[in-house]
Amino acid sequence: MPDAKQAVGARYAALIREIAAHDRAYYVLAAPTIGDRDYDRLFAELAELERAHPELARPDSPTRRVGGELAAGFARVRHLRRMYSLDNSYSEDDVREFMARAREALGGAKVAWVVEPKLDGASMELVYQGGSLALALTRGDGVEGEDVTTNIRTIRSLPLGVPCGGEVIARGEVFIDSADLEAVNEVREAAGDPPFANPRNAAAGSLRLLDPKEAARRPLRIFLYELVAAPDLPETHLGCLARLEALGLPVHGMQRACGTDDDVIAALGAFAAARKALPFDIDGAVVKVDLLAAREKLGSTARFPRWAAAYKFETEKAETRLLDIAVQVGRTGALTPVAVLEPVALAGTVVSRATLHNEDEIRTKDIRVGDTVIVEKAGEIIPRVVGVARASDARRGPPFSMPAACPACGAPPSRGEGEARWRCPNRLACPGQLKASLLHFASRKAMDIEHLGPSLVDQLVDHGLVRDVAGLYRVGEVELEELERMGQKSARNAIEAIQASRTRPLHRLITGLGIPLVGEVAAVQLAARYGSLSRFAAAEPEIERAELSAVFGIGEKIAAAVADALSDDRFLGVIRELLDLGIDPAAEAAAEGPIAGASFCITGTLSAPRHVVQERIRAAGGELHTAVKRGTRYLVAGADVGKAKLEKARALGTAVIDEAALERLLAGGEL
């Protein structure tokens, strides 16, 4: 039996391994497997063991460095000054203690503070030399970072030059707006990849793309929050932020100057209250000493600066019982375990199902049916099970294993080397994949078929009435009447909705066909190229593979996906069946109207659903942009609009109008 000293040594070694694994998952893989609080508890336990047993301390201890092993494929470059993490605080008392320690270390002097939002993205260091962007580094291990300059250059909001001849070093955060995450995830799901759980993961993953063309297609943004070096460096942090702005570099402009501890606490509360109205995710706020000379005096620990601390907002969580683990089949064949929960209120909605990601994660967390589990909304968007709150010995089920057969068709699933997901290989005959494809085809962004929900789709497939999307147009009213819970009126409504979709423009149909990687934007471009479904079907695959990649916005991977689809006999068979049914939509012609030629971007909450407003703008001849960019004439701002988007519009000369002004334009009036 090991003695106490051996037990302490074993626990110390285990903590180092566990924290290193979590560091890799967070910084390298952009897929954290543990929450911030749980991570901090492990780190605090490790630090306490080293204080109590200094003889155990190892040079590879996480307390001696910042987490973040370098990803393969990027050159390593040393930071001019070490890039630290921030110590986390979770209560007002923690923040007050941090400020008291700083004052004491400065001899009791009065301290001026700055409070800023803590953006939930990927840390970045930029180096400008001779007025040009020369280098962009991730934080890496704090001493060396990954050279991602090529990818950073694709961020449109970041100037490649600054009006300064000397060396300028600035640090900031790369992120993706919450609204943009939907578009990114749509492309990933179309390709059969798991969606990003939140904008931070999307940003970190985008920075590590080895193909800068792919990175350019991600809507990356950046805000700079620290000026490390510059000619005539200002004496205060607020002065440095003003200098960054004067150089034309993007800053959030949300910093608050605070003179007292109570001012700081009030600022933290204000950021917590405003977080849901912001267009980007913040997971806390940062409290910093304003005077740079005071920062130098305070210095840093081996891991954290002593002049700054992060205050982390509490992620809303709920506890509920896990009733079952179902396995869901996607339209690409991916098998995804889903938690079936006792309904519980969480972040404004009632949650009864939540993602469990994959088999490996379930086993790592030892989640079993019957357990009381902890559920949170990742990035306030996707419900997920983060762990077990209480294991029920009496009702606890066996460890989870992926079923040996696809739950929809019975085919044995397979798992590629290095892949986390299992997939059903029965692409041509799996009813689960067919059901998911039909729901996608009928979705609002595709053919927009009302009355065609999951219950009706299940019955259409289970009764053998529909074998592909073209089969929807062959179903008769009498057949539908015989289905459960349908009746004459419901059947007639469904048939009318299906037949009405015949008139949808070509880009909607291309979206609905579910070609991997082809979302709404690419579908519009493909529709403009081919003009009709029949010409699309007649295209030569290899010619399209070569020519489509030359079209703006249609990269090599999308071009290859389109060419592969056009080489697939089953895919072409569905198109031929649609053509035989008289469904050959044309590309949507640009409408003539009172706003013809004008471009619009919509943000915030309007009085009508956004897609309704967008259709009215298109019908009046307007063009829609998914984000404000050069050439966007109007930003239509509804309620709950973030300051950053408004400032970007003004910087680009885009007119910011409200819904009433839009109505005047649609009616042919003037502003």
Side-chain angles (χ1 to χ4, degrees), residues 7 25 30 33 205 215 248 287 301 310 316 320 329 339 385 401 446 456 463 518 528 545 581:
T33 55
V287 182
T301 68
E316 187 174 346
T320 188
V329 186
V385 175
S401 294
L456 179 53
H463 287 78
V518 175
R545 190 186 301 269
L581 289 163

Side-chain angles (χ1 to χ4, degrees), residues 600-630:
F600 295 78
C601 177
I602 299 174
T603 187
T605 304
L606 304 178
S607 61
R610 184 171 294 189
H611 73 278
V612 173
V613 179
Q614 290 174 333
E615 288 299 327
R616 291 184 64 202
I617 290 173
R618 287 195 185 99
E623 176 187 345
L624 284 162
H625 293 173
T626 56
V628 177
K629 58 184 180 182
R630 292 195 183 280

Side-chain angles (χ1 to χ4, degrees), residues 646-657:
L646 297 176
E647 289 183 345
K648 181 177 182 180
R650 295 185 181 108
L652 293 174
T654 298
V656 179
I657 63 175

Side-chain angles (χ1 to χ4, degrees), residues 370-389:
D371 290 344
T372 296
V373 295
I374 303 168
V375 186
E376 71 175 18
K377 277 196 174 181
E380 306 295 336
I381 298 173
I382 303 172
R384 66 175 182 179
V385 175
V386 297
V388 176

Side-chain angles (χ1 to χ4, degrees), residues 89 129 218 267 305 333 350 463 498 535 538 551 555 575 595 602 656:
S89 302
Q129 292 178 338
R218 301 283 176 87
V350 176
H463 287 78
I498 291 171
R535 285 196 288 273
V551 178
I575 293 181
I595 57 173
I602 299 174
V656 179

Side-chain angles (χ1 to χ4, degrees), residues 320-463:
T320 188
R321 186 164 172 255
L322 178 62
L323 303 177
D324 195 11
I325 298 178
V327 175
Q328 181 175 288
V329 186
R331 61 188 175 90
T332 63
L335 302 183
T336 304
V338 177
V340 181
L341 308 166
E342 284 187 351
V344 61
L346 179 65
T349 61
V350 176
V351 173
S352 59
R353 295 170 73 87
T355 181
L356 287 164
H357 297 297
N358 55 58
E359 180 184 28
D360 293 343
E361 181 162 337
I362 296 173
R363 286 181 170 274
T364 298
K365 295 179 178 178
D366 194 23
I367 298 170
R368 305 192 196 184
V369 172
D371 290 344
T372 296
V373 295
I374 303 168
V375 186
E376 71 175 18
K377 277 196 174 181
E380 306 295 336
I381 298 173
I382 303 172
R384 66 175 182 179
V385 175
V386 297
V388 176
R390 293 182 299 281
S392 174
D393 294 333
R395 296 182 292 179
R396 200 170 201 223
F400 174 79
S401 294
M402 191 63 72
C406 169
C409 69
S414 60
R415 182 178 180 180
E417 185 177 351
E419 290 187 358
R421 285 182 178 267
W422 291 80
R423 295 182 185 274
C424 169
N426 192 14
R427 185 172 61 88
L428 300 182
C430 176
Q433 294 182 54
L434 174 56
K435 290 174 182 179
S437 296
L438 291 172
L439 288 171
H440 173 74
F441 186 81
S443 67
R444 189 185 69 188
K445 294 179 179 180
M447 298 299 276
D448 194 16
I449 303 176
E450 294 185 21
H451 310 293
L452 193 63
S455 178
L456 179 53
V457 165
D458 284 347
Q459 294 191 76
L460 290 174
V461 174
D462 293 343
H463 287 78

Side-chain angles (χ1 to χ4, degrees), residues 37-38 146 163 183 189 266 284 289 309 357 359 449 512 525 586 662:
R37 287 174 180 264
D38 292 333
E146 304 155 25
E189 289 177 314
V289 172
H357 297 297
E359 180 184 28
I449 303 176
Q525 292 172 310
L662 174 63

